[in-house]
Amino acid sequence: MAVYTEIDDVALEAFVAQYDIGAVLSCKGIAEGVENSNFMLVTDRGPYILTLYEKRVHERDLPFFLCLMEHLAARGLPCPTPISGRDGKALRRAAGRPASIVSFLRGVWPRRPEPKHCTELGRAMARMHLAVADFPRSRANNLSLAGWQGLFEACRERADEVQPGLAKSLERELEHLAAHWPAAGGGVPQGVIHADLFPDNVFFLDDKLSGIIDFYFACNDAFAYDLAIALNAWCFEPDGAFNITKARNLFQAYGALRPLNAEELRLLPLFARGAALRFLMTRLYDWLNQIPGAMVRPKDPKEYVRKLNFHKRIKDASAYGLDGAK
Amino acid sequence: MAVYTEIDDVALEAFVAQYDIGAVLSCKGIAEGVENSNFMLVTDRGPYILTLYEKRVHERDLPFFLCLMEHLAARGLPCPTPISGRDGKALRRAAGRPASIVSFLRGVWPRRPEPKHCTELGRAMARMHLAVADFPRSRANNLSLAGWQGLFEACRERADEVQPGLAKSLERELEHLAAHWPAAGGGVPQGVIHADLFPDNVFFLDDKLSGIIDFYFACNDAFAYDLAIALNAWCFEPDGAFNITKARNLFQAYGALRPLNAEELRLLPLFARGAALRFLMTRLYDWLNQIPGAMVRPKDPKEYVRKLNFHKRIKDASAYGLDGAK
């Protein structure tokens, strides 16, 4: 929940004049998106989203993100389409920050995801993973093993403030993951993944998935790891209970379009642990390093401690409703 | 900058179904409005504003605010029109809070107000003050003398944390204001005033005033006091310098439609001190009582200490560019 950078009305008008999208009628900061400043920009042609990229997003990565959205949108995925200015460029500067305008997507994100949403999500994820086959760019995942290790070092001393014994248990988990995490190219299909497919990044309209947003963590990694992130984000109830119906819907809908191979099935519990650790680590870091006045309510790292512990107890992917995985 | 209360997508659909405004296409929290949770609600009929009223706004006052907006909109003032549901009611509940939907206003608020904006503002304020002549409801101003005194008592002990000597100087100022503040009905025209006409509550489109929003401080008080609030909010530069051109534009445009009488002119410097103290006191209170996680960056009370000191040095309203006031 953000808007860190304000844009001046005079600067806004000059900025929008570089595009062929009509005249500004309104521009309001949106209380969504933790990483960037987002505005709902209404012109006489309709609504758009204006994003000012904040420091957590590296400027050098922006062409990757914008090209990815353009690539996916061109293949019919309901994701924002970057709008190019009259000079043909989609990325420029406003209010001292890198900035872009993308198409507005209809829909509302589900506050309480239901099994039907997970079916829609699984189908869209498979389409997305199939659609990147010919995407020419790549971006390393800086929030994989090495990144988790770095965050852990930064949090190690104070981790037990959040939960006694947490530092020790994270250390052991990192050792386990380092020992078993597959090398890229070792039989697990890889490609560009979204890597942050939480419910607030997915819109629905009349129960149909109508939008996928916020591609600013997208990177190259195992497709099954993307599924593991979604599993954690969508298939646990607010009380922490795992909902196997949601997981089954997610995997079945996905597998109908892109079946998981045996190695992906075998590694799914490990990926789920890694995915839990990834969000645990960033939440822990943000929790211990709150910025006064940042207007972001930090998310509870303990939610992901519980999810991690759930996956540690799993024997195989059959626990996720994948019946052929025993 | 807010959104304190989230609204569930299922609850939202049920809520909007009570209105004849079409189907929900999108609903995004707006990072504007410090007191309430505001959402830009887009239906297939167009955009609307959904407001969930938070605790700082008393529920008993809501009919006053909504009727006032309706009254002003009906008289051609560009302010939000409350939308009634199929049951004829404009006020109902959503997400456990009182809630309303109002019309969407085009325009962008001026980040750096210019003299031309002050002309537009003066004209609109005069129209607004003339338009409330036949408004049948009233609401006492709980942020006048007695309210300031109460806030001062709550801040007295810690005021010097913000600026050494502030407590003593506020005490003296309150004594001065109490001794000279006019009683209601004593020759100073009164009526319903907006009482919070800051630049972020006024929209412009092509340099024309296109919207006045946020009537949730509206109350009965002297019209000239409303002008004094606007004077403080619009006619000082970011470096603290008073801009007499802006003030002259504000008062001239206002006076062309509703001329100030001699008593109003005489009292204007006093009203300006009171208006400065009013925002000084609420900012001071909020500064000393920050709510962790409130996602509101508190405004600097010292800005209003400086404005108050400016008005204390004024002899008469000629200092505001009112040439007939000597």
Side-chain angles (χ1 to χ4, degrees):
Chain A
M1 192 166 307
V3 181
Y4 298 89
T5 304
E6 271 279 11
I7 183 165
D8 192 284
D9 48 315
V10 178
L12 174 68
E13 216 157 293
F15 180 78
V16 172
Q18 297 176 279
Y19 294 83
D20 188 26
I21 59 170
V24 176
L25 295 182
S26 167
C27 185
K28 295 188 194 296
I30 301 174
E32 285 180 10
V34 169
E35 304 295 326
N36 300 310
S37 300
N38 291 304
F39 299 83
M40 183 143 171
L41 170 70
V42 182
T43 76
D44 49 27
R45 304 264 182 91
Y48 298 87
I49 301 292
L50 164 64
T51 301
L52 305 182
Y53 297 100
E54 300 297 338
K55 284 171 195 136
R56 262 176 108 148
V57 174
H58 291 297
E59 196 159 354
R60 64 170 181 274
D61 289 332
L62 290 173
F64 171 84
F65 300 136
L66 292 174
C67 286
L68 176 61
M69 286 188 262
E70 199 170 336
H71 180 91
L72 294 175
R75 273 146 192 84
L77 267 293
C79 67
T81 312
I83 310 289
S84 293
R86 296 179 206 277
D87 59 0
K89 291 181 187 155
L91 182 61
R92 61 190 77 238
R93 295 186 80 84
R97 312 274 343 137
S100 74
I101 294 177
V102 300
S103 62
F104 170 80
L105 294 181
R106 295 169 165 198
V108 178
W109 67 267
R111 268 63 177 177
R112 284 179 287 191
E114 295 174 35
K116 64 187 174 191
H117 296 119
C118 295
T119 302
E120 286 284 302
L121 177 69
R123 195 177 295 137
M125 288 185 77
R127 288 182 57 208
M128 192 168 66
H129 291 166
L130 292 169
V132 294
D134 61 341
F135 184 62
R137 292 170 184 251
S138 71
R139 177 179 171 264
N141 185 359
N142 54 9
L143 282 172
S144 190
L145 267 179
W148 309 337
Q149 191 70 48
L151 286 168
F152 175 65
E153 293 307 331
C155 298
R156 182 200 288 265
E157 281 189 24
R158 295 182 54 208
D160 284 11
E161 289 175 25
V162 168
Q163 190 168 299
L166 184 57
K168 190 71 203 157
S169 117
L170 289 175
E171 188 176 8
R172 284 202 193 116
E173 183 64 15
L174 276 165
E175 283 167 13
H176 176 84
L177 292 172
H180 297 88
W181 204 255
V188 193
Q190 309 254 339
V192 175
I193 66 170
H194 183 286
D196 193 36
L197 262 182
F198 278 64
D200 58 344
N201 286 332
V202 184
F203 299 159
F204 290 83
L205 207 55
D206 298 330
D207 292 340
K208 296 287 160 207
L209 191 149
S210 61
I212 297 178
I213 64 162
D214 211 347
F215 284 80
Y216 302 106
F217 285 101
C219 57
N220 285 66
D221 209 324
F223 292 135
Y225 175 65
D226 212 12
L227 278 171
I229 291 170
L231 176 76
N232 283 332
W234 292 74
C235 304
F236 288 83
E237 300 304 311
D239 66 1
F242 179 68
N243 185 325
I244 197 169
T245 307
K246 292 181 180 175
R248 187 178 284 127
N249 284 7
L250 173 69
F251 289 119
Q252 278 185 351
Y254 185 93
L257 295 178
R258 196 189 80 78
L260 297 180
N261 70 24
E263 187 64 357
E264 287 179 295
L265 283 177
R266 188 184 71 79
L267 285 170
L268 207 48
L270 186 78
F271 282 153
R273 286 169 71 158
L277 189 78
R278 176 253 178 268
F279 289 96
L280 199 172
M281 287 315 312
T282 48
R283 287 188 180 192
L284 179 63
Y285 183 87
D286 291 346
W287 191 271
L288 295 174
N289 299 278
Q290 294 183 35
I291 301 157
M295 294 179 294
V296 172
R297 195 170 287 154
K299 288 174 182 152
D300 186 6
K302 289 205 287 280
E303 179 191 338
Y304 271 81
V305 174
R306 290 187 289 271
K307 289 177 181 178
L308 176 58
N309 288 336
F310 174 83
H311 297 302
K312 280 158 103 170
R313 291 191 300 267
I314 291 301
K315 278 214 206 86
D316 57 53
S318 67
Y320 305 139
L322 281 149
D323 300 325
K326 276 217 180 87
Chain B
M1 190 166 307
V3 181
Y4 297 89
T5 303
E6 271 280 10
I7 182 165
D8 192 284
D9 49 314
V10 177
L12 174 68
E13 216 157 293
F15 180 78
V16 172
Q18 297 175 280
Y19 294 82
D20 188 28
I21 59 170
V24 176
L25 295 183
S26 167
C27 185
K28 294 187 193 298
I30 302 174
E32 284 180 10
V34 170
E35 303 295 326
N36 300 309
S37 301
N38 292 305
F39 300 84
M40 182 141 171
L41 170 70
V42 182
T43 78
D44 49 26
R45 304 263 182 90
Y48 298 87
I49 301 292
L50 164 63
T51 301
L52 305 182
Y53 297 100
E54 300 297 337
K55 285 174 193 132
R56 262 176 108 149
V57 174
H58 291 298
E59 196 160 353
R60 63 170 181 274
D61 289 332
L62 290 172
F64 171 85
F65 299 135
L66 292 173
C67 286
L68 176 61
M69 285 188 263
E70 199 170 336
H71 179 92
L72 294 176
R75 273 146 192 85
L77 266 293
C79 67
T81 312
I83 310 289
S84 293
R86 295 179 205 277
D87 59 0
K89 291 181 186 153
L91 182 61
R92 61 191 76 238
R93 295 187 81 82
R97 311 272 346 137
S100 73
I101 294 176
V102 300
S103 62
F104 170 80
L105 294 180
R106 294 169 167 198
V108 177
W109 66 267
R111 268 63 178 178
R112 284 179 287 190
E114 294 172 38
K116 64 187 174 189
H117 296 119
C118 296
T119 303
E120 286 284 302
L121 177 69
R123 194 177 295 136
M125 287 185 77
R127 288 183 57 208
M128 192 168 67
H129 291 167
L130 293 169
V132 294
D134 61 341
F135 184 62
R137 293 170 184 251
S138 71
R139 176 178 171 264
N141 185 359
N142 54 10
L143 282 173
S144 189
L145 267 180
W148 309 336
Q149 191 69 51
L151 285 168
F152 176 66
E153 293 307 332
C155 297
R156 181 201 290 265
E157 280 189 26
R158 295 182 54 208
D160 284 11
E161 290 175 25
V162 168
Q163 191 168 301
L166 184 57
K168 190 70 205 159
S169 119
L170 288 175
E171 189 176 7
R172 284 202 193 117
E173 182 64 15
L174 276 165
E175 283 167 13
H176 176 84
L177 292 172
H180 297 88
W181 203 254
V188 193
Q190 308 255 339
V192 175
I193 66 170
H194 183 286
D196 193 36
L197 263 182
F198 278 63
D200 58 343
N201 286 331
V202 184
F203 299 159
F204 290 83
L205 207 56
D206 298 329
D207 292 341
K208 296 287 160 208
L209 191 149
S210 61
I212 297 177
I213 64 163
D214 211 347
F215 284 81
Y216 302 107
F217 285 100
C219 57
N220 285 66
D221 209 323
F223 292 133
Y225 176 65
D226 212 12
L227 279 170
I229 291 170
L231 176 77
N232 283 332
W234 292 73
C235 304
F236 287 83
E237 299 304 311
D239 66 0
F242 180 67
N243 185 324
I244 198 170
T245 307
K246 292 181 180 176
R248 187 178 285 126
N249 284 5
L250 173 69
F251 289 119
Q252 278 185 353
Y254 185 93
L257 295 177
R258 196 190 79 78
L260 297 180
N261 70 25
E263 186 65 356
E264 288 180 293
L265 284 177
R266 189 183 69 79
L267 284 169
L268 207 48
L270 186 79
F271 283 151
R273 286 169 72 158
L277 188 78
R278 176 253 179 269
F279 289 96
L280 198 172
M281 286 315 311
T282 48
R283 287 188 178 191
L284 180 62
Y285 183 86
D286 291 346
W287 191 270
L288 295 174
N289 298 278
Q290 295 183 34
I291 301 157
M295 293 179 294
V296 173
R297 196 170 287 155
K299 289 174 182 151
D300 185 7
K302 289 205 287 279
E303 179 190 338
Y304 271 81
V305 174
R306 290 187 289 270
K307 289 177 181 177
L308 175 58
N309 288 336
F310 173 84
H311 297 302
K312 280 157 101 169
R313 292 191 298 267
I314 292 301
K315 279 214 205 86
D316 57 52
S318 68
Y320 305 140
L322 281 149
D323 300 322
K326 278 217 179 91

